[in-house]
Each structure stands twice: as structure tokens, then as C-alpha cells.
Amino acid sequence: MAVTATIHRFFGSIVDYAQRRPAAALAWVLGFHLAVWTLVPALVSWNLQLDLVEGLALGKEWQLGYWKHPPLPWWVTDLAYRLTGQIDVVYMLGPLAAVVCLYVVWLLARELVGEVKALIAVVALEAVHYYNFSAVKFAHDQMQLPFWALTGLFFWRAIVRGRTIDWMLAGLFLAGAFWSKYAVFALAATLGLVLLFDPFARRAWRTPGPYAMALVFAVVIAPNVWWLVNNDFMPFQYVDDRAAPARHWYDHVLFPLRWTGGQLLYLLPALLLLALLYLLRRSAKADISSDDAFNRRYVGALALGPFAVTTVIAAMLGRQPIAMWGYPLWSFAPLAVLMFWPPSLDPKQLRRFAAGTLAVLIAFPLGFAIAELGEPFIRDRSKATQFPGQLLADTITRQWRERTGTPLKYVGGAIVINQEIWGPRRLPGAGQFASNNVAVYSPDRPHVIVEGELAISPWIDVNDLERHGAVLLWQPNEEGLPENIRRSFPNAELQPPLTVPRHTLYPRRGELIYYAFIPPRPQLPPAGSVPK
């Protein structure tokens, strides 16, 4: 009994503090999130995550667009590195994006349901995979989070308050989401449908607001749109290659069901956490005013609209949506639950919710650390965080310098094809990850020829490449020179493969690396020079 009473008093004190000072409680939660999800991955990972390596390797080129996604996340990655000079700073970017998103959700929620329920709506998101386990891999998915939330906040303010500045900010943040990832079309379509069909929002068409928003959005995205037009909309081909096409009529039904089931699985911990507020209790009955009715419709649209748009379009096109497409979709889902089914906020229920929240805050990072460090004891699976990036970069750089007497200026990958029962399939990681690691960890910080393809690496000066040479690296399944390397670099010289030990607590097989030298031709004149 004494132990039970102590536990009740402990969680009761947490609930009491959160009810008296919800903003301060939020600050503690967000500070804890930022610190833990920055430090834990940095401490248990010997090598950067795949996406972090890619961002550092390619962000330094500062292109208006890249072959797979918009450039903003890679710009941010390179800027963080330039400001600090530390590679490990990138571990903070994903958790920081998640924290900003969570704070913005709080800003909207407190205006709709009050500060206590707003706090509940935010901490429930701590149980969603996208805001913790996945957030450490900062890239385009993570960059979307704050921009989607900010767009949702200022679009609501614009409709309710009618201020032109709010409309313009909504357009600015929607454009930021566009520069982060083109999946923003699902959010833009949802907001457009709200303006078209919601009776309260539809009145905004008689004001300058929506047109100011559209103008700001168009102006801000114009440089990237220009790049897309001049590069044959290359990123959309990348998306087309990744999303598996329907091979049978029933795939048009099966694909959406798989996608929906996967998203529900990601949401399940948050839904279970929220369920602690409703156990053995009826939800409170709320009086719905006309303003509250619009707020519920709006938050419901934010919570489900982008998911519905993505699902319908994928079903119509016969494509299997990728799980990570759900990344920015659910920031307002807990808030929608609280608005449609208001909990009674009974002290006993709140103590249960506080206990569940504390369990999530502790168990999730602990589970991440155990999975990272303990997996090699259970199975032998190559992981980016175990990859010997520093050792590989040192080895390749040393060999190159010994052979040529020059710094390593260019490094590249290859197109690696895997023959599977349904046909050949391209393996992008196998053809690029090793070279990205050399680009990041080598003291020479070489430029990257993505997959050995100059067509998707426009920052490469071909004449300068021929003068300085390069190293191309890839991993199985290609023992000889891959076909695209033979085609583009006929003078490439295959080297004996390297086996580099992985960083694991339990001994496992090393990483097999194939590589080739493209010998430098220093006798060639520099690009743009006129021979005498």
C-alpha cells in the first residue's frame, strides 16, 4: 500500500505541475526530447546514418535541385556543418525539426482546446515512430515536419482572423514544405478543399488573403520550379522508380490496405497512450459553437485529409505508397482525437496518462540504444551505423595519394543491379553509400559523382574530373566493373576488393568494397583555357 501511495503521489505531483504550468511542462518534455534523441544516436552509432551521410556528401554542392528531392534539407545539413565544423552536429537536426513541429502543434492546440489538452496532444506524438526513432535520420521527411505544422497554424489563423500577413506566412511555410519534399501536394490539396467546401472558410475568397498566399507560394518556389522544368522533372522519375507498380487488378485495393495498415501501426502507440484518458470513463460532452464546429472540421481535415489524398492518388495510379510518405501526415491526429472525443481529465486518468508518457519517454530511447548495440548478437545484418566509414575513407585516401601524389578531389558510386525473380532491380544504397562515406570522412572532402552518373551530378566539371581523376566505389552484387562505369569511364582500373571490419560489439563479417581508380591526366589543360 505504501508503495502504491508513493507512486500515486509521484504521478499526482506531475499532473498537478502540468495543470498549473502546462507551458513549463511542455518545455521540459521538448528539452528532454531534443537532448536524448540527439545524444543517444550519437553515442551508440559508430557511423552516420545513411541519410545523414548523403546530406553531408551532396549538400555542399548547393544546387537548386537534385535528382531525387528538393535541396533544402541538404542545404541545412551543409550549413550546420559549415557553422560548427563538426560532422556530428547533424545528429541534432532531426530531433530539432521534430521539436519545432511539436511546439507549433502546441501553439495551434492551445488556441483550440486550452493549454492542458494542448500539452496532451503534443506528448501523445512522443509515442509516434516518426518523431523519435526515424527523426534521427535527418533528411527530406524530417525537414517537412515544422513546415507542415507551421502551414496548418497560420492557415487557421488566416481564416479565423482574416489578416493578410497570416495568409502570406501560410504561403511562405507551404513553400518551405515544397522545398523540403514534393509530397506537400497532399497538404496543399487538403487546404484547397477546405477553402472550396467549408462554409466558414469559403468566405475568405472574398478577401485578398488566398491570393496573397498563392502569390507568396509561387514566388518562393519559382527557382525550384525553374530547375524542375529545365531538368525534365527528374525527381518525379525517382519517385516513379521507388513506388512499386500494380501488377494485378487487386493491387489497386491491396496497396491502399497495406499502406493504411502500416500507418495505423505507426499510430498505434499514440492511440494506446490516449486511450488511458478514456478507460472506464465516458468522454466529456462538449457544447459545440459555430466557431468550435469549424475548428473541429479544420483539424479533422489536417489530421486525415493529406492521408486521404495520398491514398486515393496512389490507388488511382496503381502504386504502392512508401511507409515514409506518412511522415508529416499525423502531427494533428492526437489533437483531432481530443477535439472530437473530449476526455473528462479525471485525476486518475491523468495519472495513468502521465505514467504512460513517462514510460514512452524512457522506453523508446532505451529501445533504440538496445536495438543499435544488441542486434549484432542476434543476426548478421549490415547497418549504416556500423559501417566503417572513417576507416574506408582513410584507406582509399591514402591509397590514392600514394599512387597519384595528389589529393582526392572526386569520388563516385555505381549503378548496382540485383537480379530478382520478378526482374532486375536497382540497388541505390549498394552503389552510393560507400562513396558518400569517403566524401564525408576523407580529409580531402571530395565531390561526389552520384552512382557514377554525370547526368545526375551536374556540379561535376568533366574536364576537371579528367585532369584530377577519381575513385569509384560500390558493394555487391557487382564483382567486375558495373556496366555504367564501363560505359562512362572506359579507362577505369579495377582494384583488388577491400574487406573492412564493421563496428559491432559482437564480431560479424566485414563490409566488402569494390572500387576502381580513374587515373588523373594532369597534362590536360584546365577547363576554359585556350591552348597556345
Side-chain angles (χ1 to χ4, degrees):
M1 293 293 291
V3 173
T4 302
T6 301
I7 293 174
H8 283 177
R9 284 196 300 272
F10 173 71
F11 288 110
S13 65
I14 293 177
V15 169
D16 180 64
Y17 179 80
Q19 288 182 310
R20 285 187 296 105
R21 303 185 60 192
L26 176 73
W28 278 105
V29 171
L30 298 186
F32 179 84
H33 182 112
L34 181 61
V36 168
W37 285 105
T38 298
L39 293 175
V40 170
L43 291 173
V44 302
S45 304
W46 281 274
N47 198 76
L48 291 176
Q49 297 272 1
L50 186 147
D51 290 330
L52 298 180
V53 170
E54 187 175 49
L56 280 170
L58 301 178
K60 64 186 177 185
E61 307 301 344
W62 283 81
Q63 301 292 295
L64 276 178
Y66 291 85
W67 83 104
K68 62 190 298 187
H69 290 304
L72 182 58
W74 290 349
W75 291 352
V76 171
T77 300
D78 184 66
L79 185 61
Y81 172 73
R82 289 173 186 265
L83 289 174
T84 64
Q86 299 294 319
I87 289 175
D88 287 346
V89 70
V90 297
Y91 281 113
M92 186 179 68
L93 298 179
L96 181 60
V99 163
V100 172
C101 173
L102 296 175
Y103 179 69
V104 176
V105 170
W106 151 268
L107 291 178
L108 177 60
R110 71 177 183 177
E111 298 198 49
L112 303 181
V113 295
E115 291 192 342
V116 173
K117 289 182 181 177
L119 178 62
I120 293 172
V122 170
V123 298
L125 290 171
E126 291 285 349
V128 179
H129 185 279
Y130 295 133
Y131 300 86
N132 39 66
F133 282 87
S134 294
V136 303
K137 309 172 186 178
F138 178 76
H140 302 79
D141 290 319
Q142 293 75 14
M143 188 80 252
Q144 295 178 97
L145 287 177
F147 287 113
W148 278 54
L150 284 163
T151 302
L153 169 66
F154 282 96
F155 194 78
W156 176 83
R157 287 183 176 176
I159 293 174
V160 172
R161 299 175 182 176
R163 299 192 308 174
T164 302
I165 185 63
D166 289 327
W167 284 105
M168 296 175 71
L169 288 171
L172 176 65
F173 292 125
L174 187 65
F178 181 91
W179 278 94
S180 301
K181 196 170 183 178
Y182 300 122
V184 70
F185 79 89
L187 176 61
T190 298
L191 299 181
L193 291 172
V194 169
L195 279 181
L196 286 173
F197 295 107
D198 187 273
F200 183 82
R202 198 163 50 233
R203 296 181 295 181
W205 289 111
R206 297 194 291 268
T207 72
Y211 312 102
M213 177 182 176
L215 179 61
V216 170
F217 176 75
V219 169
V220 176
I221 71 169
N224 187 250
V225 172
W226 175 86
W227 181 90
L228 285 168
V229 171
N230 284 275
N231 288 271
D232 299 321
F233 296 90
M234 214 185 315
F236 296 98
Q237 180 60 48
Y238 172 79
V239 173
D240 186 64
D241 291 339
R242 287 205 66 196
R247 299 180 182 277
H248 308 283
W249 65 266
Y250 52 80
D251 286 336
H252 290 268
V253 177
L254 187 60
F255 284 175
L257 290 177
R258 284 179 182 168
W259 151 256
T260 302
Q263 296 307 304
L264 285 174
L265 193 61
Y266 283 125
L267 283 173
L268 184 60
L271 295 177
L272 292 176
L273 188 59
L274 286 172
L276 297 175
L277 295 171
Y278 301 92
L279 289 176
L280 306 178
R281 297 276 179 175
R282 292 183 179 181
S283 59
K285 189 173 182 180
D287 295 326
I288 306 299
S289 66
S290 59
D291 288 344
D292 289 337
F294 166 70
N295 292 339
R296 288 174 61 176
R297 293 195 303 271
Y298 178 70
V299 173
L302 286 181
L304 293 177
F307 168 76
V309 169
T310 303
T311 305
V312 169
I313 291 178
M316 291 172 59
L317 297 177
R319 295 287 175 157
Q320 171 68 68
I322 297 167
M324 289 296 106
W325 290 1
Y327 213 100
L329 303 183
W330 305 114
S331 295
F332 296 101
L335 176 59
V337 171
L338 296 176
M339 293 183 71
F340 280 89
W341 299 279
S344 62
L345 299 186
D346 175 89
K348 184 175 182 180
Q349 309 300 94
L350 288 175
R351 286 197 300 269
R352 287 176 177 171
F353 183 81
T357 299
L358 186 61
V360 165
L361 292 174
I362 295 174
F364 277 31
L366 183 62
F368 180 93
I370 292 173
E372 284 292 331
L373 298 176
E375 185 181 12
F377 291 92
I378 300 171
R379 60 175 176 172
D380 187 6
R381 181 173 74 100
S382 295
K383 293 186 67 173
T385 51
Q386 303 165 0
F387 191 82
Q390 185 68 67
L391 179 58
L392 175 64
D394 291 343
T395 302
I396 293 295
T397 303
R398 183 181 67 252
Q399 288 189 11
W400 178 261
R401 289 180 176 180
E402 289 174 353
R403 173 163 174 174
T404 67
T406 63
L408 177 60
K409 190 170 184 180
Y410 295 101
V411 66
I415 295 177
V416 177
I417 304 297
N418 189 40
Q419 297 296 331
E420 300 180 352
I421 56 174
W422 49 80
R425 185 171 70 91
R426 190 168 174 171
L427 300 177
Q432 191 54 42
F433 183 59
S435 62
N436 285 345
N437 273 271
V438 174
V440 169
Y441 288 107
S442 170
D444 294 339
R445 296 281 289 171
H447 299 281
V448 175
I449 314 163
V450 179
E451 295 186 341
E453 289 290 297
L454 295 170
I456 57 176
S457 311
W459 52 88
I460 302 296
D461 183 311
V462 178
N463 290 330
D464 194 62
L465 171 61
E466 290 183 353
R467 290 182 65 244
H468 290 91
V471 178
L472 305 176
L473 305 96
W474 63 96
Q475 292 176 269
N477 299 350
E478 297 278 345
E479 294 186 12
L481 287 172
E483 190 278 330
N484 77 306
I485 299 303
R486 294 196 302 270
R487 181 189 68 246
S488 300
F489 303 101
N491 60 331
E493 300 175 359
L494 186 64
Q495 306 298 307
L498 292 174
T499 299
V500 193
R502 279 159 52 201
H503 295 289
T504 56
L505 296 180
Y506 183 81
R508 290 296 186 182
R509 59 183 171 84
E511 294 283 355
L512 181 61
I513 309 293
Y514 295 102
Y515 66 111
F517 285 167
I518 301 174
R521 300 171 64 188
Q523 69 277 14
L524 291 175
S529 64
V530 179
K532 297 181 180 179

